[in-house]
Each structure stands twice: as structure tokens, then as C-alpha cells.
Amino acid sequence: QVYKGLDIITNKVSPQEQRLCRHHMISFVDPLVSNYTVVDFRDKAVALISYIFARDKIPIVVGGTNYYIESLLWKVLIDTKEKASTAPGPVADRKVELEQLDSVELHRRLSQVDPEMASKLHPHDKRKVARSLQVFEETGIPHSEILHQQQEEEGGGPLGGPLKYPHSCILWLHADQAALDQRLEKRVDDMLAAGLLEELRDFHRRYNQEKVAENRQDYQHGIFQSIGFKEFHEYLISEGNCSPETSALLLQKGIQALKQVTKRYARRQNKWVRNRFLRRPGPNVPPVYGLEVSDLLRWEEDVLKPALEIVESFIQGREPPAEPVKMEYDVYENKRSHRVCELCDRVIIGDREWAAHTRSKSHLHHLKKRRKLEAASRAAETEGDSGSAETSGEDSSLPL
């Protein structure tokens, strides 16, 4: 939503809703800028939060993208832009340059300069590996060392630095999965009815067509990471160059892909809330209050009324009537443990991911296959031993 234009695909809050109270951080970045990062977002948002507090108002950070919210809550980011921008001429994004390298080469380089970080990152996670390399190249300090420094600050914890705003609370709107899926499918239909295809078509003509011609379209950076661009890519580039029937099929394929990836993203968001806000060990986590939004007819009773009571309690410095959501977590769990499953030829990062992998269909299939081979091998060895014993018995009557 920080990008100008493209209001439908980025699901911007409507002008009518924006008139109800002042909104910030919307439509101020050129969509052709590809190096806008979470650090840029944090720096601008933190300044705005200070400005809002100075006017005795309360900032409400609205999700979405929980990684960006996390950057405002905790000291977890490392800013390398200032040092990089001292060079004359246009500033190249070093992380993007590094991502062009082969993943094996990237991981090998990181292993040389920061073996601790390399052991915590999956060798195929080019983005994170490239970021860690960029941090080292532009600061001269291993990424892992900077993270340790953040964690050791007063109020820090295993997953990051101290909480920036101690009197924060999180309101988590969640719904029954079936109701959520149905609502997300309807949202895609509403976006199409509002003119999504025209918006994408126009942007494709103005920007993406040139990149397609040069075969250098990029869906990994900037605005193109938004859901909806790559899902309709095939339809847009073939429009006018194929039969109406083929075009209609590609359109339906794009619509179904958009619905599927939207539902998948919503699941990932909820998983992030559980893992980072509810299972996050340490005292530096704001309370999370769950609000059930499955039945929109009960919005007043289930969402608005309890949310107002919680916020008013925080303003007045008293305990809210609602209990925050609690979720058990293992204090000994290592989110960055490094294991290699030789059976599946895979690298697994994290204790929970390893437990999930060992229960997966793929792993159990390989395990069953190996046990069959081992059983067959033992049977063959037993048969061989039996044959040797019989021969030995027959030969015992022969003279030495």
C-alpha cells in the first residue's frame, strides 16, 4: 500500500474510510522503485509515530504484513543504507546483485565470513543469505555478531532487541478457516469487479511490456512481490496474441491462482502471529487479544465492543476485562538448528520444522522404502549364511 496507484491490487483502504480518520504510509512510493525496504518503512513510520504521540494521539498500526509490524515493535533490523549511499553516483542494491549468484556460491561465501549465520540459514534461501552477506560487506561486522548485540541489550530476547514501545497491545482478528477462505474468494471477485484487470493491463503496458520483451521481468522485488502480478502474467503477455478461447482459459487460470495464493498468504500470516507473537519466548512481547470475526453479523458484540474496552483499559492504565491469548512454547526450542536429512537429501532449519519433516509423507515414504531395502538385504544375508552352514556340514565328513 506504500506504492502510488495500483489501488485495487494492493487492497488500499477506500477514500471514504480514509476520511473517517487520518491515514499515513499510503501511496507515496513510485511503483517503479524496486529497492524500497522494510528499513525505509520503519524509519518513516517511527518518525510518524513520534509525531502522533507528540499530538497526544494514539497510533494504530494496521496489518497485513506482520514482518513490517515486527520492525516497529522490536529492535530487529540493521541499516546498511547510510554507509552504502556515501558512494558517488547511483546506488546499486548490493543485496539484489548478490541474489544473482548461484545459491551454492552465495552460501559458500557466507560460510567463510560468518559461519554461525551460514549454519542457521538454509543454503537455498538466497534472500536471507544475500542479506547476511550484504550486512558483512557494508558494515565489516558479521551479521550474527550484530544480532547477538541486539539480543544482549536490556530488554532484549532470543529473537531480537528490546521492545520499542512498552505499552503496546496487539488486537488479532481471526476467523474460522472456512469462513475466512470464503471471504477471501469473495474479495478476489470484488477486486475483479472493481477493475483489477484494467489496472494490471494499464501497468503492464506502461512498464512490464518492455521487460517482457527483454525477458527480464522480476517478481522478487518492489511492487511486483504483491500478490496478483505474477498470477496474471501469462494472461497479460498473451492477450491479443492467442485465440479468445486460450485467453479465457488463461484468465480463469490467473483468477484461480490469485484465490489460491491469497488463501495461502492468509494462513502464513496467522502462522506468523502464532510463532512470533504468541510462541515468542522472553518478556518483551506485547499482550495479544484475540477477536473472533467469523460472523460479520456479530461485529459489534464480538469485535468492536471488546476492542474498545481493551484499548480504553490500556489508556487508563488498568487491566483489560479480556484475557490475552496464551500459547505454550518450548523455551529450549531452537528455531535456527541445522539438520541434514540424508534420507531425503534435504537441509532442515529449526526444531519444529525438523519435527514436521520427520512426520511428513515424503520422509515416511523414503523411510519405508529404506526399511524394505534393509529387510531384503538382511534376508539375503541370512540365506547366504544358511547356505554356508549346509555346505560346511557336508564337507565335515571329508578328510583334511
Side-chain angles (χ1 to χ4, degrees):
Q1 295 191 1
V2 300
Y3 294 99
K4 295 174 190 171
L6 299 160
D7 297 347
I8 300 170
I9 197 171
T10 56
N11 274 293
K12 286 200 178 81
V13 60
S14 69
Q16 292 84 354
E17 288 178 295
Q18 289 193 47
R19 283 195 285 269
L20 295 174
C21 66
R22 186 164 178 196
H23 286 66
H24 302 270
M25 304 293 290
I26 294 176
S27 299
F28 64 94
V29 179
D30 187 317
L32 301 187
V33 170
S34 62
N35 63 344
Y36 184 82
T37 69
V38 67
V39 173
D40 299 312
F41 171 85
R42 178 206 62 189
D43 292 346
K44 187 174 176 66
V46 165
L48 278 166
I49 289 169
S50 299
Y51 167 69
I52 294 166
F53 277 138
R55 293 185 296 118
D56 288 330
K57 303 287 184 183
I58 296 173
I60 301 171
V61 181
V62 184
T65 311
N66 296 317
Y67 178 51
Y68 279 59
I69 295 175
E70 191 170 326
S71 75
L72 301 179
L73 286 172
W74 291 281
K75 185 178 177 181
V76 290
L77 299 178
I78 300 161
D79 189 359
T80 61
K81 279 198 167 186
E82 190 177 338
K83 182 173 181 180
S85 64
T86 57
V91 180
D93 190 328
R94 181 58 180 153
K95 179 171 170 284
V96 174
E97 290 177 351
L98 287 166
E99 284 175 14
Q100 307 309 310
L101 295 173
D102 176 73
S103 56
V104 174
E105 171 62 16
L106 262 181
H107 199 262
R108 185 190 67 78
R109 289 191 188 188
L110 184 61
S111 301
Q112 290 177 336
V113 298
D114 192 351
E116 182 184 341
M117 205 68 200
S119 70
K120 293 176 180 178
L121 296 178
H122 197 286
H124 295 154
D125 194 341
K126 289 182 83 169
R127 286 182 141 204
K128 288 183 179 177
V129 174
R131 174 57 180 160
S132 289
L133 262 177
Q134 180 196 21
V135 168
F136 176 77
E137 287 183 4
E138 296 179 359
T139 66
I141 305 169
H143 193 179
S144 57
E145 189 178 321
I146 296 174
L147 294 179
H148 284 312
Q149 289 169 4
Q150 287 181 347
Q151 292 161 9
E152 288 164 6
E153 287 183 35
E154 186 178 352
L159 292 179
L163 193 63
K164 292 181 192 173
Y165 306 102
H167 304 295
S168 306
C169 75
I170 296 171
L171 303 176
W172 179 28
L173 278 64
H174 58 86
D176 172 75
Q177 195 62 58
L180 179 60
D181 286 347
Q182 188 179 13
R183 203 171 297 161
L184 291 171
E185 291 214 2
K186 184 181 180 301
R187 187 173 83 174
V188 171
D189 292 334
D190 291 344
M191 289 164 67
L192 288 161
L196 174 64
L197 290 178
E198 288 74 14
E199 184 178 88
L200 285 174
R201 204 175 278 123
D202 176 60
F203 194 64
H204 175 69
R205 276 195 298 266
R206 287 191 293 117
Y207 173 72
N208 208 32
Q209 219 163 33
E210 180 189 333
K211 292 211 163 192
V212 169
E214 297 171 8
N215 197 26
R216 57 183 182 91
Q217 60 271 23
D218 177 13
Y219 291 105
Q220 302 303 316
H221 302 98
I223 185 70
F224 294 103
Q225 295 174 85
S226 300
I227 291 171
F229 279 99
K230 53 184 170 288
E231 286 73 26
F232 288 101
H233 176 75
E234 199 175 354
Y235 166 73
L236 289 170
I237 63 169
S238 63
E239 197 175 21
N241 300 318
C242 62
S243 68
E245 294 79 14
T246 302
S247 189
L249 284 172
L250 290 174
L251 175 58
Q252 284 306 311
K253 181 183 173 184
I255 292 169
Q256 291 309 311
L258 179 55
K259 289 181 176 181
Q260 198 62 39
V261 78
T262 301
K263 289 186 282 189
R264 197 180 305 134
Y265 183 64
R267 283 174 170 79
R268 223 163 49 233
Q269 286 176 312
N270 283 327
K271 184 181 178 183
W272 185 291
V273 171
R274 287 190 291 270
N275 289 344
R276 302 291 278 181
F277 297 157
L278 297 175
R279 291 196 179 109
R280 187 177 183 132
N284 61 339
V285 184
V288 177
Y289 296 93
L291 299 168
E292 174 64 52
V293 295
S294 295
D295 186 356
L296 294 180
L297 296 175
R298 291 186 52 84
W299 178 267
E300 298 275 337
E301 305 96 312
D302 294 348
V303 185
L304 184 58
K305 188 167 179 270
L308 287 172
E309 287 174 350
I310 291 164
V311 173
E312 283 172 358
S313 300
F314 264 81
I315 293 169
Q316 295 163 9
R318 56 184 172 83
E319 282 294 313
E323 282 292 316
V325 180
K326 297 289 182 188
M327 197 167 278
E328 289 184 8
Y329 60 83
D330 182 0
V331 293
Y332 300 107
E333 180 190 347
N334 184 351
K335 295 179 184 292
R336 292 296 185 188
S337 61
H338 182 282
R339 293 184 180 90
V340 178
C341 178
E342 294 179 359
L343 199 60
C344 305
D345 191 25
R346 284 188 59 192
V347 176
I348 310 294
I349 305 294
D351 289 353
R352 193 178 303 146
E353 287 72 13
W354 175 255
H357 173 72
T358 55
R359 295 192 300 267
S360 69
K361 286 183 181 178
S362 170
H363 179 79
L364 294 174
H365 169 73
H366 283 105
L367 192 61
K368 187 177 178 182
K369 194 174 175 183
R370 187 177 73 175
R371 283 173 178 166
K372 276 185 179 178
L373 288 170
E374 287 175 347
S377 177
R378 282 195 299 271
E381 286 175 8
T382 305
E383 191 177 322
D385 291 344
S386 172
S388 298
E390 287 172 15
T391 306
S392 167
E394 289 170 2
D395 291 347
S396 62
S397 61
L398 297 174
L400 294 174

